[in-house]
Amino acid sequence: MLKKQVFTRVVIILLLMLTPNIAKGANIEFSGFGDMTFGSTWGGPADAADAALYASDGTDAFPLSENNGFGNTGIDLVILGELTDRLSVLSEINLQLERGGSSDIGLDVERTYLDYRISNKFNVQVGSFFTPIGFHNRTLYSRAWLMSSIQIPDFDEEELGLVPNHSTGIHFYGNFPTRGAHSLNYAVSVANSRGIDPTILISNRDVGERKTVTGLLEWVFPSHRDFRIGLSGWVAELNTFKVGPNYGDTASTATGEAAKLEEVGFNPYIVLYSERFSLIMEYAGSTQKDKIGNVPGGPFNFESLLAELSLNFMDDTLHPYIRYDRTALPSANGGPYMALREGDGVLTRHFIPNFEATMIGVAYDLFALNRIKVELIRHSDGNRSKYGINFQTAFAF
């Protein structure tokens, strides 16, 4: 029944997207992207203890984003309506197959917002948007066609919710030109609170006392194709429930003891795209502190690091690359928030593994809108297999 409802909704969305001139005078643009993969793993788990914990107290029957056999991630459909020369509306619908052990079809609204373009220095978006933190979350996310690597970073993974990568609220942004063709970009957003578990996105009916506030400053250099250094961060109040310290412990969302945490996040990055090579370095970390005195053991720290170097050959169509990722959750069994998942009114503490891996691969632009890749991955931590090889074809239109 659920799949039938999803299919019906998708058909309706497609019909609306493909109908020309829905609004009189509006210019409608339709685009999309997706990818297909094949993967194989060997060598047993990177950490046998983590694998055992995940088998007993993990969130899924299969390690997240580990590729075995053929995989189809689905497709993202984007519709852009230019209502006037200063006002547009954008909506992105993600029709995806789940990335864990399930093959269920999910239908997510990734973004839907009105964009008021007032001037280069000041613009406003209202609705649901990518949270203006970092580079990868705003620019690449799950867009495999734009990425060199196949692996989605854990700190960008919405099914983990380690950082608030989606927001519903208001977003201010703009840029100020400076001397020598340099420019300073900024972004500030005020959005709904984070949910009672980190994977819950509050798009409506937010009851949080405080909103999530995000800020970003980015210096753009005129040299090279794209050279920018950025600093971003966020402040959020986490209203959840106190759950016991052991995996498998639970708390009722109706009768459980409330917990309130202050989360402060920090996210610097460097991005350099040149004719011969490209470099992306990004760090994301946060600290969560108890606010009402009933969560012992803090503060609770999370950190992640991504570093990727790729080279450009054959008229910028061939890109060999190497990448390193590391993600570390709070040592106190995931801390009082990141390890929680809600289901049927019950919060449960799950084992969320750390991630550490090195990836070596090649991406080749077979056509202008089609990138094919082969990637070897070596996991050094977590429950995923030590070794894997992945193939991917990614497209956009």
Side-chain angles (χ1 to χ4, degrees):
M1 184 66 178
L2 180 58
K3 290 183 179 180
K4 192 180 211 179
Q5 292 175 350
V6 170
F7 178 77
T8 302
R9 291 172 184 172
V10 171
V11 170
I12 293 172
I13 291 168
L14 285 172
L15 287 173
L16 289 172
M17 285 181 167
L18 294 172
T19 301
N21 298 321
I22 297 173
K24 187 176 180 180
N27 181 23
I28 307 297
E29 298 180 9
F30 176 54
S31 60
F33 57 90
D35 60 272
M36 293 82 173
T37 60
F38 176 81
S40 180
T41 60
W42 67 93
D47 188 306
D50 281 3
L53 281 171
Y54 192 82
S56 61
D57 293 294
T59 57
D60 202 289
F62 194 82
L64 194 65
S65 294
E66 184 176 73
N67 295 311
N68 269 309
F70 292 100
N72 185 347
T73 60
I75 189 170
D76 275 51
L77 303 171
V78 182
I79 183 169
L80 172 64
E82 294 286 354
L83 308 184
T84 73
D85 59 347
R86 292 186 177 272
L87 176 63
S88 64
V89 57
L90 181 144
S91 186
E92 179 181 339
I93 308 297
N94 183 3
L95 178 62
Q96 69 175 12
L97 280 79
E98 303 300 334
R99 287 187 285 273
S102 170
S103 292
D104 291 343
I105 297 174
L107 183 63
D108 296 327
V109 179
E110 295 287 348
R111 298 178 291 168
T112 296
Y113 59 80
L114 280 167
D115 191 0
Y116 296 88
R117 300 186 295 271
I118 299 169
S119 70
N120 288 337
K121 297 180 180 179
F122 184 75
N123 306 275
V124 184
Q125 291 178 354
V126 182
S128 298
F129 44 84
F130 293 139
T131 309
I133 54 175
F135 175 78
H136 219 276
N137 181 63
R138 296 178 300 130
T139 309
L140 298 179
Y141 186 52
S142 62
R143 288 158 172 75
W145 172 62
L146 296 176
M147 294 170 57
S148 296
S149 176
I150 294 174
Q151 184 72 36
I152 297 174
D154 269 16
F155 72 84
D156 260 0
E157 177 57 75
E158 63 181 342
E159 294 184 30
L160 292 174
L162 302 178
V163 303
N165 39 13
H166 291 73
S167 293
T168 296
I170 188 166
H171 171 210
F172 306 97
Y173 69 97
N175 71 84
F176 292 88
T178 61
R179 292 181 179 179
H182 292 241
S183 66
L184 178 66
N185 298 337
Y186 77 90
V188 177
S189 72
V190 180
N192 285 343
S193 307
R194 301 189 71 183
I196 59 173
D197 87 39
T199 67
I200 294 175
L201 300 176
I202 301 176
S203 298
N204 203 0
R205 292 178 290 277
D206 178 27
V207 296
E209 297 177 9
R210 281 180 47 192
K211 305 305 178 188
T212 298
V213 179
T214 305
L216 177 145
L217 285 175
E218 182 178 75
W219 192 272
V220 180
F221 297 80
S223 58
H224 306 288
R225 296 178 181 175
D226 189 357
F227 182 20
R228 60 190 66 211
I229 298 175
L231 176 63
S232 60
W234 70 93
V235 177
E237 185 176 85
L238 312 176
N239 292 284
T240 183
F241 294 87
K242 184 178 179 180
V243 179
N246 300 313
Y247 297 122
D249 287 347
T250 62
S252 168
T253 59
T255 61
E257 181 182 359
K260 185 177 291 189
L261 306 163
E262 180 82 22
E263 181 180 58
V264 178
F266 178 65
N267 187 194
Y269 59 92
I270 298 174
V271 176
L272 171 59
Y273 289 121
S274 71
E275 292 186 5
R276 294 186 178 182
F277 71 93
S278 299
L279 176 68
I280 301 174
M281 297 184 67
E282 184 161 2
Y283 172 89
S286 66
T287 298
Q288 298 169 352
K289 296 181 179 180
D290 174 37
K291 289 195 67 177
I292 57 177
N294 64 344
V295 180
F300 305 93
N301 299 316
F302 156 78
E303 64 176 5
S304 66
L305 173 69
L306 179 150
E308 178 183 280
L309 174 66
S310 62
L311 305 178
N312 304 321
F313 296 111
M314 296 174 57
D315 295 327
D316 202 26
T317 61
L318 183 69
H319 312 280
Y321 62 87
I322 183 169
R323 176 176 141 189
Y324 173 79
D325 280 22
R326 180 177 179 271
T327 298
L329 273 75
S331 57
N333 288 352
Y337 182 69
M338 289 186 174
L340 305 185
R341 297 294 185 270
E342 189 275 336
D344 299 324
V346 175
L347 272 172
T348 303
R349 178 178 297 279
H350 288 278
F351 173 69
I352 310 298
N354 293 334
F355 181 88
E356 185 175 9
T358 303
M359 290 138 273
I360 299 176
V362 176
Y364 176 62
D365 296 329
L366 183 62
F367 301 104
L369 298 175
N370 177 220
R371 175 170 287 187
I372 58 175
K373 312 173 192 178
V374 57
E375 178 176 278
L376 289 169
I377 186 167
R378 169 63 164 94
H379 291 97
S380 306
D381 196 5
N383 64 316
R384 294 162 179 162
S385 300
K386 288 181 182 178
Y387 304 100
I389 185 169
N390 298 302
F391 302 87
Q392 184 184 74
T393 177
F395 65 90
F397 60 87

